[in-house]
Amino acid sequence: MTIAHTVLIGLIGFSFLYYGVSCLSSNFMTAEFERFGLSKLQRKITGVAQIIGGLGVLIGYFYKPLQIAALMGISLLMLLGWGVRLKIKDTFIAALPSFVFFVLNAYLAYYLIFLK
């Protein structure tokens, strides 16, 4: 794995840990999920999924199948998040981060499965 891939995976892992905790504890994220039309339970499930995914990506440095599964799971989560953003007609800029994270995670999973 290249240094760039390693750094990118580290950034993704820590980003999802941060956003998962934020999703569970931030008033801003609570308001965002209300704006998305999602329930309190859906916000909590999303936060826990982000934390588990972030940990899986980081712990996966030592066990690649876990890292691949975590990247695929986070990729799906971001694809769903992008869909929610499109459904509520957010701006292109507001929807862009979820799409970028979807593509990055899908690419990294593909890379680890087929190219490494």
Side-chain angles (χ1 to χ4, degrees):
M1 181 179 302
T2 68
I3 292 175
H5 286 102
T6 302
V7 169
L8 185 57
I9 285 174
L11 289 172
I12 285 171
F14 285 113
S15 293
F16 278 90
L17 282 175
Y18 172 80
Y19 282 108
V21 170
S22 176
C23 197
L24 296 175
S25 61
S26 162
N27 290 333
F28 173 76
M29 290 303 289
T30 299
E32 280 291 278
F33 271 74
E34 289 172 2
R35 186 175 74 84
F36 299 156
L38 300 174
S39 70
K40 182 177 180 179
L41 179 60
Q42 288 169 314
R43 179 179 54 82
K44 289 181 179 182
I45 290 169
T46 301
V48 170
Q50 288 177 334
I51 291 168
I52 291 169
L55 287 172
V57 168
L58 295 173
I59 294 169
Y61 275 118
F62 307 105
Y63 185 65
K64 289 299 174 212
L66 175 62
Q67 191 171 61
I68 291 166
L71 287 166
M72 291 170 64
I74 292 172
S75 183
L76 176 61
L77 188 64
M78 291 296 94
L79 180 61
L80 293 170
W82 183 55
V84 167
R85 295 285 191 152
L86 295 176
K87 182 181 176 187
I88 66 167
K89 297 183 180 12
D90 261 356
T91 66
F92 173 78
I93 296 298
L96 190 60
S98 56
F99 181 75
V100 169
F101 271 115
F102 159 65
V103 170
L104 283 175
N105 285 289
Y107 163 75
L108 288 169
Y110 178 84
Y111 174 82
L112 290 172
I113 295 168
F114 297 110
L115 303 178
K116 183 174 184 247

